[in-house]
Amino acid sequence: GAFSIFDLSCHDLHEFPRAVYLIINEHSNWDTGISHALSYRCLGQLLNVDMRSVKRGVKELIASGFLKKRGRCSKTGSNIYQVIHHKCGPEEVPLDKDGRPQKCAVPRGEGSPSAFLEAGKIHWRDFMYWIVKKIHSDWTDGTARLTLDQLCKLLRFGRQQLCNIGKKLRGLGLMKRLSAKFRAGVDQLFPGPYPKRRRRSDYKGPKPLRCIKGWYYSHNKLWKFHEDTQRLMMKETDGRWRDSNMEELYNLNAAIHRDFHDYMSVTSSQEFLDCREGLLEALGIS
């Protein structure tokens, strides 16, 4: 959708970082965008590339604003990332049919493009080709209608390269050509969509917090904290923001603190962590 990593009007990313982004997104929480602990070695294995390439890709994603480092796993030391699905203000985020931020879900597991990628049967460019076809496909029957010119614009690959990739994916059974030669490309993608659109189960976890320029806002919009400094602020009745004092920290509403808890737990501001231990004990949160 608009403002996403595939909206080329809002960024100037190279092709490979977008593949890194998609793999990290695949291993993240659907609602919060917070990833599992992912080492450069693990990402390299998933993308079937060397670690140096992954490091450069992650660095470019962070510089472009589509990815943030949230901290490190205490056991493995691997990075935990925050996936930024749309580079825009909260009020501009495109929504899907369920009223949630518009996101792209791709097949996983045996027979999926990501499984072929990890196994080394396809290149990351082949993976990107399939994903772009999927995003622009009919999600009810799995057919994609894209011309070579459209694919060139979306992927920034050469025409001959795109032809070779399409041929390779058809040979592996990930696509089947439906249109005649030299006509606008119509392909059936595999794995296909579910025969019947499944009803989304109600999300039972915590509602994700809004994040604007590093500030996480409480659901009542009266409190915010910064992900890097852990600076906690409250909103006055006149609309101005001010730093909260220590007494207010200890008397912070329990529901608001629970909202912030998962986000605060992956940061390392020692001053706030010392204060947070007392808050956790007072609130009965382990």
Side-chain angles (χ1 to χ4, degrees), residues 108-128:
R108 295 178 61 180
E110 187 177 356
S112 69
S114 55
F116 276 93
L117 177 63
E118 185 178 0
K121 294 181 179 179
I122 63 174
H123 191 267
W124 63 264
R125 289 188 179 87
D126 309 329
F127 173 73
M128 289 289 293

mmCIF file with all atom_site columns, all heavy atoms in Angstrom, residues 108-128:
data_model
loop_
_atom_site.group_PDB
_atom_site.id
_atom_site.type_symbol
_atom_site.label_atom_id
_atom_site.label_alt_id
_atom_site.label_comp_id
_atom_site.label_asym_id
_atom_site.label_entity_id
_atom_site.label_seq_id
_atom_site.pdbx_PDB_ins_code
_atom_site.Cartn_x
_atom_site.Cartn_y
_atom_site.Cartn_z
_atom_site.occupancy
_atom_site.B_iso_or_equiv
_atom_site.pdbx_formal_charge
_atom_site.auth_seq_id
_atom_site.auth_comp_id
_atom_site.auth_asym_id
_atom_site.auth_atom_id
_atom_site.pdbx_PDB_model_num
ATOM 1   N N   . ARG A 1 108 ? 4.163  -19.493 4.093  1.00 0.00 ? 108 ARG A N   1
ATOM 2   C CA  . ARG A 1 108 ? 5.373  -19.966 4.747  1.00 0.00 ? 108 ARG A CA  1
ATOM 3   C C   . ARG A 1 108 ? 5.364  -21.482 4.771  1.00 0.00 ? 108 ARG A C   1
ATOM 4   O O   . ARG A 1 108 ? 4.354  -22.110 4.494  1.00 0.00 ? 108 ARG A O   1
ATOM 5   C CB  . ARG A 1 108 ? 5.455  -19.419 6.179  1.00 0.00 ? 108 ARG A CB  1
ATOM 6   C CG  . ARG A 1 108 ? 5.606  -17.920 6.261  1.00 0.00 ? 108 ARG A CG  1
ATOM 7   C CD  . ARG A 1 108 ? 5.634  -17.432 7.700  1.00 0.00 ? 108 ARG A CD  1
ATOM 8   N NE  . ARG A 1 108 ? 6.765  -17.992 8.442  1.00 0.00 ? 108 ARG A NE  1
ATOM 9   C CZ  . ARG A 1 108 ? 7.012  -17.728 9.715  1.00 0.00 ? 108 ARG A CZ  1
ATOM 10  N NH1 . ARG A 1 108 ? 6.203  -16.931 10.391 1.00 0.00 ? 108 ARG A NH1 1
ATOM 11  N NH2 . ARG A 1 108 ? 8.050  -18.254 10.330 1.00 0.00 ? 108 ARG A NH2 1
ATOM 12  N N   . GLY A 1 109 ? 6.480  -22.075 5.126  1.00 0.00 ? 109 GLY A N   1
ATOM 13  C CA  . GLY A 1 109 ? 6.544  -23.525 5.250  1.00 0.00 ? 109 GLY A CA  1
ATOM 14  C C   . GLY A 1 109 ? 6.901  -24.212 3.944  1.00 0.00 ? 109 GLY A C   1
ATOM 15  O O   . GLY A 1 109 ? 7.315  -23.581 2.969  1.00 0.00 ? 109 GLY A O   1
ATOM 16  N N   . GLU A 1 110 ? 6.738  -25.521 3.925  1.00 0.00 ? 110 GLU A N   1
ATOM 17  C CA  . GLU A 1 110 ? 7.133  -26.340 2.780  1.00 0.00 ? 110 GLU A CA  1
ATOM 18  C C   . GLU A 1 110 ? 6.439  -25.890 1.495  1.00 0.00 ? 110 GLU A C   1
ATOM 19  O O   . GLU A 1 110 ? 5.226  -25.673 1.482  1.00 0.00 ? 110 GLU A O   1
ATOM 20  C CB  . GLU A 1 110 ? 6.803  -27.809 3.055  1.00 0.00 ? 110 GLU A CB  1
ATOM 21  C CG  . GLU A 1 110 ? 7.321  -28.760 2.003  1.00 0.00 ? 110 GLU A CG  1
ATOM 22  C CD  . GLU A 1 110 ? 7.040  -30.210 2.351  1.00 0.00 ? 110 GLU A CD  1
ATOM 23  O OE1 . GLU A 1 110 ? 6.512  -30.474 3.453  1.00 0.00 ? 110 GLU A OE1 1
ATOM 24  O OE2 . GLU A 1 110 ? 7.342  -31.089 1.515  1.00 0.00 ? 110 GLU A OE2 1
ATOM 25  N N   . GLY A 1 111 ? 7.207  -25.739 0.436  1.00 0.00 ? 111 GLY A N   1
ATOM 26  C CA  . GLY A 1 111 ? 6.651  -25.346 -0.857 1.00 0.00 ? 111 GLY A CA  1
ATOM 27  C C   . GLY A 1 111 ? 6.497  -23.858 -1.055 1.00 0.00 ? 111 GLY A C   1
ATOM 28  O O   . GLY A 1 111 ? 6.090  -23.414 -2.128 1.00 0.00 ? 111 GLY A O   1
ATOM 29  N N   . SER A 1 112 ? 6.844  -23.053 -0.038 1.00 0.00 ? 112 SER A N   1
ATOM 30  C CA  . SER A 1 112 ? 6.713  -21.599 -0.140 1.00 0.00 ? 112 SER A CA  1
ATOM 31  C C   . SER A 1 112 ? 7.978  -20.993 -0.730 1.00 0.00 ? 112 SER A C   1
ATOM 32  O O   . SER A 1 112 ? 9.054  -21.603 -0.692 1.00 0.00 ? 112 SER A O   1
ATOM 33  C CB  . SER A 1 112 ? 6.445  -20.994 1.232  1.00 0.00 ? 112 SER A CB  1
ATOM 34  O OG  . SER A 1 112 ? 7.590  -21.114 2.063  1.00 0.00 ? 112 SER A OG  1
ATOM 35  N N   . PRO A 1 113 ? 7.905  -19.769 -1.269 1.00 0.00 ? 113 PRO A N   1
ATOM 36  C CA  . PRO A 1 113 ? 9.101  -19.119 -1.808 1.00 0.00 ? 113 PRO A CA  1
ATOM 37  C C   . PRO A 1 113 ? 10.212 -18.956 -0.779 1.00 0.00 ? 113 PRO A C   1
ATOM 38  O O   . PRO A 1 113 ? 11.387 -19.128 -1.107 1.00 0.00 ? 113 PRO A O   1
ATOM 39  C CB  . PRO A 1 113 ? 8.576  -17.765 -2.288 1.00 0.00 ? 113 PRO A CB  1
ATOM 40  C CG  . PRO A 1 113 ? 7.134  -17.973 -2.519 1.00 0.00 ? 113 PRO A CG  1
ATOM 41  C CD  . PRO A 1 113 ? 6.697  -18.964 -1.492 1.00 0.00 ? 113 PRO A CD  1
ATOM 42  N N   . SER A 1 114 ? 9.850  -18.633 0.475  1.00 0.00 ? 114 SER A N   1
ATOM 43  C CA  . SER A 1 114 ? 10.889 -18.452 1.498  1.00 0.00 ? 114 SER A CA  1
ATOM 44  C C   . SER A 1 114 ? 11.586 -19.773 1.820  1.00 0.00 ? 114 SER A C   1
ATOM 45  O O   . SER A 1 114 ? 12.786 -19.789 2.126  1.00 0.00 ? 114 SER A O   1
ATOM 46  C CB  . SER A 1 114 ? 10.299 -17.838 2.766  1.00 0.00 ? 114 SER A CB  1
ATOM 47  O OG  . SER A 1 114 ? 9.214  -18.601 3.248  1.00 0.00 ? 114 SER A OG  1
ATOM 48  N N   . ALA A 1 115 ? 10.852 -20.894 1.738  1.00 0.00 ? 115 ALA A N   1
ATOM 49  C CA  . ALA A 1 115 ? 11.467 -22.206 1.967  1.00 0.00 ? 115 ALA A CA  1
ATOM 50  C C   . ALA A 1 115 ? 12.430 -22.546 0.820  1.00 0.00 ? 115 ALA A C   1
ATOM 51  O O   . ALA A 1 115 ? 13.517 -23.082 1.046  1.00 0.00 ? 115 ALA A O   1
ATOM 52  C CB  . ALA A 1 115 ? 10.389 -23.281 2.088  1.00 0.00 ? 115 ALA A CB  1
ATOM 53  N N   . PHE A 1 116 ? 12.031 -22.220 -0.421 1.00 0.00 ? 116 PHE A N   1
ATOM 54  C CA  . PHE A 1 116 ? 12.905 -22.427 -1.573 1.00 0.00 ? 116 PHE A CA  1
ATOM 55  C C   . PHE A 1 116 ? 14.161 -21.556 -1.453 1.00 0.00 ? 116 PHE A C   1
ATOM 56  O O   . PHE A 1 116 ? 15.259 -21.976 -1.807 1.00 0.00 ? 116 PHE A O   1
ATOM 57  C CB  . PHE A 1 116 ? 12.167 -22.086 -2.866 1.00 0.00 ? 116 PHE A CB  1
ATOM 58  C CG  . PHE A 1 116 ? 11.324 -23.213 -3.411 1.00 0.00 ? 116 PHE A CG  1
ATOM 59  C CD1 . PHE A 1 116 ? 9.988  -23.319 -3.089 1.00 0.00 ? 116 PHE A CD1 1
ATOM 60  C CD2 . PHE A 1 116 ? 11.878 -24.161 -4.259 1.00 0.00 ? 116 PHE A CD2 1
ATOM 61  C CE1 . PHE A 1 116 ? 9.208  -24.345 -3.591 1.00 0.00 ? 116 PHE A CE1 1
ATOM 62  C CE2 . PHE A 1 116 ? 11.113 -25.187 -4.774 1.00 0.00 ? 116 PHE A CE2 1
ATOM 63  C CZ  . PHE A 1 116 ? 9.772  -25.291 -4.435 1.00 0.00 ? 116 PHE A CZ  1
ATOM 64  N N   . LEU A 1 117 ? 13.978 -20.339 -0.940 1.00 0.00 ? 117 LEU A N   1
ATOM 65  C CA  . LEU A 1 117 ? 15.098 -19.408 -0.782 1.00 0.00 ? 117 LEU A CA  1
ATOM 66  C C   . LEU A 1 117 ? 16.103 -19.932 0.229  1.00 0.00 ? 117 LEU A C   1
ATOM 67  O O   . LEU A 1 117 ? 17.316 -19.953 -0.020 1.00 0.00 ? 117 LEU A O   1
ATOM 68  C CB  . LEU A 1 117 ? 14.575 -18.036 -0.360 1.00 0.00 ? 117 LEU A CB  1
ATOM 69  C CG  . LEU A 1 117 ? 15.607 -16.945 -0.070 1.00 0.00 ? 117 LEU A CG  1
ATOM 70  C CD1 . LEU A 1 117 ? 16.419 -16.623 -1.324 1.00 0.00 ? 117 LEU A CD1 1
ATOM 71  C CD2 . LEU A 1 117 ? 14.917 -15.679 0.448  1.00 0.00 ? 117 LEU A CD2 1
ATOM 72  N N   . GLU A 1 118 ? 15.611 -20.352 1.385  1.00 0.00 ? 118 GLU A N   1
ATOM 73  C CA  . GLU A 1 118 ? 16.495 -20.867 2.438  1.00 0.00 ? 118 GLU A CA  1
ATOM 74  C C   . GLU A 1 118 ? 17.236 -22.112 1.974  1.00 0.00 ? 118 GLU A C   1
ATOM 75  O O   . GLU A 1 118 ? 18.404 -22.328 2.336  1.00 0.00 ? 118 GLU A O   1
ATOM 76  C CB  . GLU A 1 118 ? 15.684 -21.181 3.696  1.00 0.00 ? 118 GLU A CB  1
ATOM 77  C CG  . GLU A 1 118 ? 16.524 -21.606 4.879  1.00 0.00 ? 118 GLU A CG  1
ATOM 78  C CD  . GLU A 1 118 ? 15.717 -21.861 6.127  1.00 0.00 ? 118 GLU A CD  1
ATOM 79  O OE1 . GLU A 1 118 ? 14.471 -21.710 6.091  1.00 0.00 ? 118 GLU A OE1 1
ATOM 80  O OE2 . GLU A 1 118 ? 16.317 -22.232 7.155  1.00 0.00 ? 118 GLU A OE2 1
ATOM 81  N N   . ALA A 1 119 ? 16.562 -22.937 1.161  1.00 0.00 ? 119 ALA A N   1
ATOM 82  C CA  . ALA A 1 119 ? 17.178 -24.172 0.660  1.00 0.00 ? 119 ALA A CA  1
ATOM 83  C C   . ALA A 1 119 ? 18.165 -23.916 -0.472 1.00 0.00 ? 119 ALA A C   1
ATOM 84  O O   . ALA A 1 119 ? 18.860 -24.841 -0.910 1.00 0.00 ? 119 ALA A O   1
ATOM 85  C CB  . ALA A 1 119 ? 16.096 -25.137 0.192  1.00 0.00 ? 119 ALA A CB  1
ATOM 86  N N   . GLY A 1 120 ? 18.234 -22.680 -0.960 1.00 0.00 ? 120 GLY A N   1
ATOM 87  C CA  . GLY A 1 120 ? 19.166 -22.349 -2.028 1.00 0.00 ? 120 GLY A CA  1
ATOM 88  C C   . GLY A 1 120 ? 18.667 -22.698 -3.420 1.00 0.00 ? 120 GLY A C   1
ATOM 89  O O   . GLY A 1 120 ? 19.432 -22.657 -4.388 1.00 0.00 ? 120 GLY A O   1
ATOM 90  N N   . LYS A 1 121 ? 17.376 -23.011 -3.548 1.00 0.00 ? 121 LYS A N   1
ATOM 91  C CA  . LYS A 1 121 ? 16.820 -23.380 -4.853 1.00 0.00 ? 121 LYS A CA  1
ATOM 92  C C   . LYS A 1 121 ? 16.477 -22.149 -5.691 1.00 0.00 ? 121 LYS A C   1
ATOM 93  O O   . LYS A 1 121 ? 16.362 -22.247 -6.904 1.00 0.00 ? 121 LYS A O   1
ATOM 94  C CB  . LYS A 1 121 ? 15.574 -24.250 -4.667 1.00 0.00 ? 121 LYS A CB  1
ATOM 95  C CG  . LYS A 1 121 ? 15.872 -25.606 -4.044 1.00 0.00 ? 121 LYS A CG  1
ATOM 96  C CD  . LYS A 1 121 ? 14.607 -26.439 -3.916 1.00 0.00 ? 121 LYS A CD  1
ATOM 97  C CE  . LYS A 1 121 ? 14.917 -27.808 -3.319 1.00 0.00 ? 121 LYS A CE  1
ATOM 98  N NZ  . LYS A 1 121 ? 13.685 -28.630 -3.169 1.00 0.00 ? 121 LYS A NZ  1
ATOM 99  N N   . ILE A 1 122 ? 16.266 -21.018 -5.026 1.00 0.00 ? 122 ILE A N   1
ATOM 100 C CA  . ILE A 1 122 ? 16.028 -19.764 -5.733 1.00 0.00 ? 122 ILE A CA  1
ATOM 101 C C   . ILE A 1 122 ? 16.902 -18.672 -5.129 1.00 0.00 ? 122 ILE A C   1
ATOM 102 O O   . ILE A 1 122 ? 17.373 -18.792 -3.998 1.00 0.00 ? 122 ILE A O   1
ATOM 103 C CB  . ILE A 1 122 ? 14.542 -19.322 -5.710 1.00 0.00 ? 122 ILE A CB  1
ATOM 104 C CG1 . ILE A 1 122 ? 14.072 -19.052 -4.277 1.00 0.00 ? 122 ILE A CG1 1
ATOM 105 C CG2 . ILE A 1 122 ? 13.654 -20.353 -6.397 1.00 0.00 ? 122 ILE A CG2 1
ATOM 106 C CD1 . ILE A 1 122 ? 12.649 -18.478 -4.196 1.00 0.00 ? 122 ILE A CD1 1
ATOM 107 N N   . HIS A 1 123 ? 17.133 -17.611 -5.895 1.00 0.00 ? 123 HIS A N   1
ATOM 108 C CA  . HIS A 1 123 ? 17.918 -16.458 -5.458 1.00 0.00 ? 123 HIS A CA  1
ATOM 109 C C   . HIS A 1 123 ? 16.977 -15.452 -4.802 1.00 0.00 ? 123 HIS A C   1
ATOM 110 O O   . HIS A 1 123 ? 15.753 -15.497 -4.996 1.00 0.00 ? 123 HIS A O   1
ATOM 111 C CB  . HIS A 1 123 ? 18.592 -15.835 -6.694 1.00 0.00 ? 123 HIS A CB  1
ATOM 112 C CG  . HIS A 1 123 ? 19.619 -14.809 -6.376 1.00 0.00 ? 123 HIS A CG  1
ATOM 113 N ND1 . HIS A 1 123 ? 19.330 -13.455 -6.313 1.00 0.00 ? 123 HIS A ND1 1
ATOM 114 C CD2 . HIS A 1 123 ? 20.955 -14.925 -6.109 1.00 0.00 ? 123 HIS A CD2 1
ATOM 115 C CE1 . HIS A 1 123 ? 20.438 -12.793 -6.030 1.00 0.00 ? 123 HIS A CE1 1
ATOM 116 N NE2 . HIS A 1 123 ? 21.429 -13.654 -5.896 1.00 0.00 ? 123 HIS A NE2 1
ATOM 117 N N   . TRP A 1 124 ? 17.545 -14.529 -4.024 1.00 0.00 ? 124 TRP A N   1
ATOM 118 C CA  . TRP A 1 124 ? 16.678 -13.531 -3.387 1.00 0.00 ? 124 TRP A CA  1
ATOM 119 C C   . TRP A 1 124 ? 15.936 -12.683 -4.421 1.00 0.00 ? 124 TRP A C   1
ATOM 120 O O   . TRP A 1 124 ? 14.832 -12.199 -4.153 1.00 0.00 ? 124 TRP A O   1
ATOM 121 C CB  . TRP A 1 124 ? 17.457 -12.651 -2.409 1.00 0.00 ? 124 TRP A CB  1
ATOM 122 C CG  . TRP A 1 124 ? 18.538 -11.801 -2.989 1.00 0.00 ? 124 TRP A CG  1
ATOM 123 C CD1 . TRP A 1 124 ? 19.866 -12.087 -3.051 1.00 0.00 ? 124 TRP A CD1 1
ATOM 124 C CD2 . TRP A 1 124 ? 18.383 -10.512 -3.605 1.00 0.00 ? 124 TRP A CD2 1
ATOM 125 N NE1 . TRP A 1 124 ? 20.553 -11.067 -3.660 1.00 0.00 ? 124 TRP A NE1 1
ATOM 126 C CE2 . TRP A 1 124 ? 19.669 -10.073 -4.005 1.00 0.00 ? 124 TRP A CE2 1
ATOM 127 C CE3 . TRP A 1 124 ? 17.301 -9.686  -3.846 1.00 0.00 ? 124 TRP A CE3 1
ATOM 128 C CZ2 . TRP A 1 124 ? 19.889 -8.862  -4.636 1.00 0.00 ? 124 TRP A CZ2 1
ATOM 129 C CZ3 . TRP A 1 124 ? 17.509 -8.465  -4.479 1.00 0.00 ? 124 TRP A CZ3 1
ATOM 130 C CH2 . TRP A 1 124 ? 18.787 -8.064  -4.874 1.00 0.00 ? 124 TRP A CH2 1
ATOM 131 N N   . ARG A 1 125 ? 16.497 -12.505 -5.615 1.00 0.00 ? 125 ARG A N   1
ATOM 132 C CA  . ARG A 1 125 ? 15.789 -11.764 -6.669 1.00 0.00 ? 125 ARG A CA  1
ATOM 133 C C   . ARG A 1 125 ? 14.551 -12.528 -7.134 1.00 0.00 ? 125 ARG A C   1
ATOM 134 O O   . ARG A 1 125 ? 13.515 -11.935 -7.422 1.00 0.00 ? 125 ARG A O   1
ATOM 135 C CB  . ARG A 1 125 ? 16.728 -11.479 -7.839 1.00 0.00 ? 125 ARG A CB  1
ATOM 136 C CG  . ARG A 1 125 ? 17.806 -10.450 -7.552 1.00 0.00 ? 125 ARG A CG  1
ATOM 137 C CD  . ARG A 1 125 ? 18.571 -10.076 -8.825 1.00 0.00 ? 125 ARG A CD  1
ATOM 138 N NE  . ARG A 1 125 ? 19.585 -9.064  -8.551 1.00 0.00 ? 125 ARG A NE  1
ATOM 139 C CZ  . ARG A 1 125 ? 20.818 -9.338  -8.154 1.00 0.00 ? 125 ARG A CZ  1
ATOM 140 N NH1 . ARG A 1 125 ? 21.194 -10.619 -7.991 1.00 0.00 ? 125 ARG A NH1 1
ATOM 141 N NH2 . ARG A 1 125 ? 21.697 -8.382  -7.924 1.00 0.00 ? 125 ARG A NH2 1
ATOM 142 N N   . ASP A 1 126 ? 14.681 -13.866 -7.204 1.00 0.00 ? 126 ASP A N   1
ATOM 143 C CA  . ASP A 1 126 ? 13.531 -14.696 -7.569 1.00 0.00 ? 126 ASP A CA  1
ATOM 144 C C   . ASP A 1 126 ? 12.435 -14.571 -6.508 1.00 0.00 ? 126 ASP A C   1
ATOM 145 O O   . ASP A 1 126 ? 11.243 -14.498 -6.829 1.00 0.00 ? 126 ASP A O   1
ATOM 146 C CB  . ASP A 1 126 ? 13.947 -16.166 -7.694 1.00 0.00 ? 126 ASP A CB  1
ATOM 147 C CG  . ASP A 1 126 ? 15.161 -16.367 -8.591 1.00 0.00 ? 126 ASP A CG  1
ATOM 148 O OD1 . ASP A 1 126 ? 15.326 -15.559 -9.533 1.00 0.00 ? 126 ASP A OD1 1
ATOM 149 O OD2 . ASP A 1 126 ? 15.929 -17.300 -8.346 1.00 0.00 ? 126 ASP A OD2 1
ATOM 150 N N   . PHE A 1 127 ? 12.869 -14.553 -5.239 1.00 0.00 ? 127 PHE A N   1
ATOM 151 C CA  . PHE A 1 127 ? 11.943 -14.393 -4.117 1.00 0.00 ? 127 PHE A CA  1
ATOM 152 C C   . PHE A 1 127 ? 11.201 -13.064 -4.217 1.00 0.00 ? 127 PHE A C   1
ATOM 153 O O   . PHE A 1 127 ? 9.971  -13.009 -4.067 1.00 0.00 ? 127 PHE A O   1
ATOM 154 C CB  . PHE A 1 127 ? 12.745 -14.479 -2.815 1.00 0.00 ? 127 PHE A CB  1
ATOM 155 C CG  . PHE A 1 127 ? 11.970 -14.170 -1.562 1.00 0.00 ? 127 PHE A CG  1
ATOM 156 C CD1 . PHE A 1 127 ? 11.039 -15.065 -1.064 1.00 0.00 ? 127 PHE A CD1 1
ATOM 157 C CD2 . PHE A 1 127 ? 12.194 -12.988 -0.866 1.00 0.00 ? 127 PHE A CD2 1
ATOM 158 C CE1 . PHE A 1 127 ? 10.332 -14.786 0.106  1.00 0.00 ? 127 PHE A CE1 1
ATOM 159 C CE2 . PHE A 1 127 ? 11.503 -12.703 0.290  1.00 0.00 ? 127 PHE A CE2 1
ATOM 160 C CZ  . PHE A 1 127 ? 10.563 -13.606 0.776  1.00 0.00 ? 127 PHE A CZ  1
ATOM 161 N N   . MET A 1 128 ? 11.931 -11.998 -4.500 1.00 0.00 ? 128 MET A N   1
ATOM 162 C CA  . MET A 1 128 ? 11.322 -10.675 -4.629 1.00 0.00 ? 128 MET A CA  1
ATOM 163 C C   . MET A 1 128 ? 10.325 -10.637 -5.789 1.00 0.00 ? 128 MET A C   1
ATOM 164 O O   . MET A 1 128 ? 9.260  -10.035 -5.693 1.00 0.00 ? 128 MET A O   1
ATOM 165 C CB  . MET A 1 128 ? 12.411 -9.619  -4.836 1.00 0.00 ? 128 MET A CB  1
ATOM 166 C CG  . MET A 1 128 ? 13.259 -9.351  -3.625 1.00 0.00 ? 128 MET A CG  1
ATOM 167 S SD  . MET A 1 128 ? 12.347 -8.477  -2.345 1.00 0.00 ? 128 MET A SD  1
ATOM 168 C CE  . MET A 1 128 ? 12.095 -6.906  -3.149 1.00 0.00 ? 128 MET A CE  1
#
